[in-house]
Amino acid sequence: MKFMKLGSRPDTFYNSDSVRSVSSEVSSDIMIQVKGTRYMLHKFPLLSKCLRLQRLCYETPESSQHQIIQLPDFPGGIEAFEICAKFCYGITITLSAYNIVSARCAAEYLQMNEDVEKGNLIYKLEIFLNSCVLQGWKDSVVSLQSTKGYPLWAEDLGITSRCIEAIASKVLSQPSKSNLSHSYSRRGRDDTMSCNGAESHRSKHVAKGGWWAEDIAELGIDLYWRTMIAIKSRGKVPSNLIGDALRIYASRWLPNISKRLYAEKQGETDQESDSVNELTSKHRLLLESIISLLPVDRSAVSCGFLLKLLKAANILKASSSSKMELARRVGIQLEEATVGDLLIPNMSRAQETQYDVDIVITILEQFMLQGQSPPTSPPRAKGGFQRQRSRSAENIDFEFQESRRSSSASHSSKLKVAKLVDGYLQVVAREVHLPLSKFLQIAEALPGFARLDHDDLYRAIDIYLKGHPELNKTERKLLCRVLDCKKLSMDACTHAAQNELLPLRVVVQVLFFEQARAAMHGGQVTNLPKNIKALLASHNDSSRPLGSLATSKTLRADDQWSMSGLRTPNSNISTLKMKLAEDEDLDDNYANGTEKSPKFNAICALPNRPKRIFSKLWSINRHGSEKH
């Protein structure tokens, strides 16, 4: 920390009856009131250096012994006024980065410039600020942070912009490492340097990585936003360092924001609602500022961090444009996400689901849009986040669109996302109020080749059927249309064949492929028709695991597939016959027996002589059981 001392006389200010005075043989002749504090001082030393006091004394009539001057809007308060008053008396004052801004604003208010006296306070403060304070990293950060107490004065005097430029230039000179880190300097209280050049012990630690991120994270959001824009506008700092800095800032100012605000909203009273709304607005502005600073590069921030921001955006009810921007970015790197990341709490009272499935649908749409020309980003909502934007910030949407247009979802990423989607469906399928249309929309968001097997998808469908027993036959058929029975493992087929919740058509298809594969593995392939052999060969995926699915650790006990008590293929055939009989009995439209039921017609719609095929499969099964 650099400092400067002015004056040589000892401090003679003292308190007497709630009045600040100066010890002197000459009686005071002027009383100045600052922020409720009265000062009994002398005109000669003050007026010789303060042009504003000269004018006020000329305009104010004298009364009794003391002329009274009131300064109600004095910047910096009594501390800054005493620095100026002591300078006028020649009393020693110590200036540093902590009080330089307030002293500069106070000196400007009192008009202590060169027109009154050469070498006045403003002149000395400007020299110290430019040559010493702004040359050091810690001093620049501290000075910038202190401007928040006098935003208008500091802005008019150019102090804020000069501090931001000094910080940005130091970051740009060594973005990855430096020995000027504020956090390292704070370790020693004695790490100071006199402006006269006498240097005391300095820290020899060298910070690595984004050494500057934690230091500027102490700034308020307005100053932080302007500083980051100044750093980003040069284009010299790697995007991953920018992303790390934003992550540090978010963790500093948005810790567990979702849980805290959600709990407050659940138990708030009318008296507390105003404070909660004020806190929500403050954090919403902070969140949207962070979103506007996100780098375009894909590797700049992790997908998990983006989804955490999206969760906070839902809690804080951020603008739709901010949510859409996050959804676009998540869509580009969705394969990095986990199921837990996608479990975004739903804060909308119009929807009764625990998790927001609409935003996940939007993310999946953005994932599939990679490689295509994206639409123009919607404008920000009126009354929302507004601030002055630099050239690079204004072009961020165009740069992001170019980045997404140049990338496309690879085949491997779609395979990973398909696994992710099936795991997500298994969680949200338990939602009682989850509409069937949204379940299907998520399940059908990816192309068919993205799923090498349908075991996880079948598990999600089974969970949804258990959680929604009110579904009719048509809805059950609609739900199972996304399921490809040819991509089910043996364990999944065995479970599905005995699943009373599945539509009959699905059970028939499962039994068909299960018996056909059993015949093929039993060496009875020669007894099958050629078209069935070709069908099985085209869908026989040897790379697909056929192990038991009951060992999954992600499901609850009642959702796992128990293999105990499973019936033999003969009993599966009996089950099929009973299901057919039950379906015939329950179909009132065909109760007269003169016309076949739709279920029977669906079975007959199976290609290539289904009756003869099933008769051959059942005969093969009987022969195999007789041999044993």
Side-chain angles (χ1 to χ4, degrees):
M1 175 66 70
K2 300 175 183 178
F3 63 92
M4 179 177 68
K5 289 187 177 182
L6 298 176
S8 56
R9 295 180 55 188
D11 189 356
T12 55
F13 272 69
Y14 67 96
N15 290 331
S16 176
D17 298 331
S18 68
V19 176
R20 295 279 287 167
S21 305
V22 178
S23 297
S24 174
E25 296 179 356
V26 181
S27 61
S28 60
D29 54 1
I30 184 174
M31 183 176 69
I32 301 177
Q33 292 185 352
V34 179
K35 303 289 185 180
T37 302
R38 293 181 295 174
Y39 289 88
M40 306 298 295
L41 304 175
H42 305 82
K43 290 183 179 180
F44 174 74
L46 295 177
L47 271 58
S48 62
K49 293 180 172 61
C50 303
L51 182 60
R52 187 184 187 95
L53 292 181
Q54 290 181 16
R55 294 174 179 175
L56 291 175
C57 287
Y58 177 77
E59 297 171 356
T60 303
E62 295 187 13
S63 59
S64 66
Q65 183 179 0
H66 299 93
Q67 191 171 8
I68 301 175
I69 303 295
Q70 296 187 4
L71 305 176
D73 55 346
F74 193 87
I78 59 176
E79 293 83 3
F81 176 78
E82 288 195 13
I83 289 177
C84 296
K86 290 177 181 180
F87 174 81
C88 295
Y89 280 94
I91 297 174
T92 302
I93 57 176
T94 301
L95 298 170
S96 67
Y98 289 101
N99 60 7
I100 182 65
V101 176
S102 60
R104 178 65 180 87
C105 295
E108 186 69 24
Y109 180 90
L110 294 174
Q111 299 178 358
M112 303 175 69
N113 50 45
E114 296 297 286
D115 295 337
V116 183
E117 184 181 75
K118 295 296 180 181
N120 210 341
L121 183 58
I122 292 179
Y123 173 77
K124 296 182 182 298
L125 291 177
E126 283 292 330
I127 292 179
F128 176 62
L129 179 65
N130 295 326
S131 62
C132 291
V133 174
L134 297 182
Q135 300 305 313
W137 168 256
K138 177 182 177 180
D139 295 334
S140 299
V141 174
V142 171
S143 299
L144 178 60
Q145 194 170 12
S146 64
T147 60
K148 65 182 180 181
Y150 333 97
L152 297 179
W153 283 93
E155 198 69 47
D156 292 339
L157 296 175
I159 300 176
T160 304
S161 58
R162 281 185 283 173
C163 290
I164 291 175
E165 184 62 26
I167 293 172
S169 62
K170 290 173 178 57
V171 172
L172 294 170
S173 62
Q174 289 182 314
S176 298
K177 59 182 180 179
S178 174
N179 60 350
L180 300 176
S181 173
H182 181 195
S183 58
Y184 279 91
S185 299
R186 286 181 299 182
R187 294 183 179 183
R189 293 290 183 180
D190 298 331
D191 293 349
T192 57
M193 180 191 301
S194 172
C195 192
N196 299 328
E199 179 176 294
S200 62
H201 174 71
R202 299 186 65 183
S203 175
K204 297 181 180 181
H205 294 285
V206 178
K208 297 181 179 180
W211 57 272
W212 43 275
E214 292 186 1
D215 297 340
I216 65 173
E218 300 297 324
L219 299 173
I221 186 57
D222 291 331
L223 296 176
Y224 182 83
W225 191 90
R226 293 176 59 181
T227 304
M228 290 298 295
I229 287 296
I231 294 173
K232 290 179 60 179
S233 62
R234 309 291 180 86
K236 296 181 179 180
V237 179
S239 59
N240 64 314
L241 294 183
I242 298 292
D244 289 341
L246 295 175
R247 178 183 54 79
I248 291 173
Y249 191 80
S251 63
R252 167 68 175 82
W253 295 99
L254 293 174
N256 298 323
I257 186 65
S258 300
K259 295 180 180 179
R260 186 172 70 250
L261 284 180
Y262 182 76
E264 291 178 357
K265 286 181 176 293
Q266 293 297 317
E268 69 180 9
T269 61
D270 294 338
Q271 292 78 10
E272 297 172 343
S273 60
D274 293 339
S275 61
V276 171
N277 292 334
E278 181 180 357
L279 180 64
T280 302
S281 300
K282 176 182 177 181
H283 285 100
R284 186 188 302 119
L285 173 64
L286 190 149
L287 175 66
E288 293 180 344
S289 301
I290 294 176
I291 296 173
S292 68
L293 292 171
L294 289 172
V296 177
D297 295 346
R298 170 175 176 165
S299 59
V301 291
S302 65
C303 185
F305 173 64
L306 292 173
L307 285 167
K308 287 180 180 179
L309 292 180
L310 192 53
K311 291 179 182 179
N314 247 23
I315 296 295
L316 298 172
K317 298 181 180 179
S319 63
S320 58
S321 59
S322 297
K323 293 182 181 179
M324 191 64 188
E325 188 170 351
L326 288 173
R328 291 200 308 263
R329 294 177 183 273
V330 171
I332 289 183
Q333 49 195 111
L334 183 57
E335 67 272 15
E336 303 173 9
T338 63
V339 174
D341 294 334
L342 292 178
L343 299 178
I344 301 172
N346 182 18
M347 301 300 294
S348 175
R349 296 182 179 179
Q351 301 178 7
E352 299 180 0
T353 56
Q354 180 181 359
Y355 302 111
D356 191 343
V357 295
D358 290 332
I359 194 65
V360 175
I361 293 174
T362 303
I363 292 173
L364 290 172
E365 291 173 351
Q366 296 300 319
F367 172 76
M368 294 305 299
L369 282 175
Q370 293 183 66
Q372 304 178 19
S373 180
T376 305
S377 300
R380 295 188 181 273
K382 292 183 179 180
F385 167 63
Q386 301 264 345
R387 60 171 71 250
Q388 184 181 0
R389 297 172 66 87
S390 68
R391 183 181 298 272
S392 63
E394 292 171 353
N395 295 336
I396 188 170
D397 288 337
F398 174 77
E399 294 174 1
F400 179 79
Q401 292 173 6
E402 291 297 322
S403 173
R404 188 175 71 178
R405 187 180 293 112
S406 61
S407 63
S408 60
S410 63
H411 181 76
S412 61
S413 64
K414 289 180 180 177
L415 296 180
K416 294 178 182 178
V417 172
K419 283 288 185 183
L420 175 67
V421 168
D422 291 346
Y424 176 78
L425 286 174
Q426 294 174 30
V427 177
V428 298
R430 301 186 180 94
E431 294 274 2
V432 178
H433 300 286
L434 178 64
L436 176 61
S437 59
K438 292 185 178 180
F439 183 95
L440 292 175
Q441 195 171 356
I442 296 174
E444 296 175 337
L446 298 172
F449 68 84
R451 290 184 174 92
L452 296 180
D453 64 79
H454 278 216
D455 287 4
D456 290 337
L457 181 59
Y458 169 69
R459 194 191 306 274
I461 291 175
D462 182 55
I463 295 173
Y464 190 85
L465 288 172
K466 291 178 181 177
H468 300 78
E470 74 282 357
L471 294 179
N472 55 40
K473 291 182 180 181
T474 303
E475 292 172 333
R476 291 172 187 269
K477 290 180 182 179
L478 196 63
L479 173 64
C480 295
R481 74 181 183 183
V482 297
L483 191 63
D484 189 350
C485 299
K486 297 183 293 296
K487 292 187 176 182
L488 293 177
S489 66
M490 291 296 296
D491 290 341
C493 286
T494 305
H495 185 279
Q498 303 177 75
N499 194 338
E500 301 291 339
L501 300 176
L502 292 177
L504 181 59
R505 183 181 181 88
V506 176
V507 176
V508 170
Q509 293 177 359
V510 169
L511 285 173
F512 174 81
F513 286 102
E514 183 182 13
Q515 296 294 333
R517 281 191 296 191
M520 184 177 62
H521 289 301
Q524 300 292 340
V525 181
T526 56
N527 296 332
L528 295 176
K530 293 182 180 180
N531 53 358
I532 297 301
K533 293 184 201 177
L535 181 64
L536 293 174
S538 62
H539 295 286
N540 184 25
D541 186 2
S542 60
S543 63
R544 177 151 40 91
L546 301 176
S548 173
L549 301 179
T551 59
S552 175
K553 297 181 180 179
T554 61
L555 295 180
R556 299 181 302 186
D558 56 347
D559 292 326
Q560 294 179 359
W561 298 348
S562 174
M563 303 303 294
S564 60
L566 288 178
R567 297 184 286 248
T568 62
N570 286 331
S571 61
N572 290 340
I573 297 171
S574 301
T575 302
L576 172 60
K577 292 179 179 179
M578 286 188 295
K579 282 180 175 288
L580 287 170
E582 291 173 1
D583 191 73
E584 290 290 339
D585 295 336
L586 294 175
D587 199 335
D588 296 333
N589 295 331
Y590 300 92
N592 54 11
T594 59
E595 190 176 358
K596 298 292 187 296
S597 69
K599 294 295 183 181
F600 186 80
N601 292 333
I603 297 173
C604 294
L606 290 174
N608 300 323
R609 300 170 296 172
K611 292 183 178 180
R612 295 174 60 186
I613 293 172
F614 272 107
S615 63
K616 285 192 176 187
L617 291 176
W618 293 337
S619 64
I620 291 170
N621 190 275
R622 285 200 304 272
H623 293 327
S625 61
E626 290 173 359
K627 290 180 181 180
H628 293 289

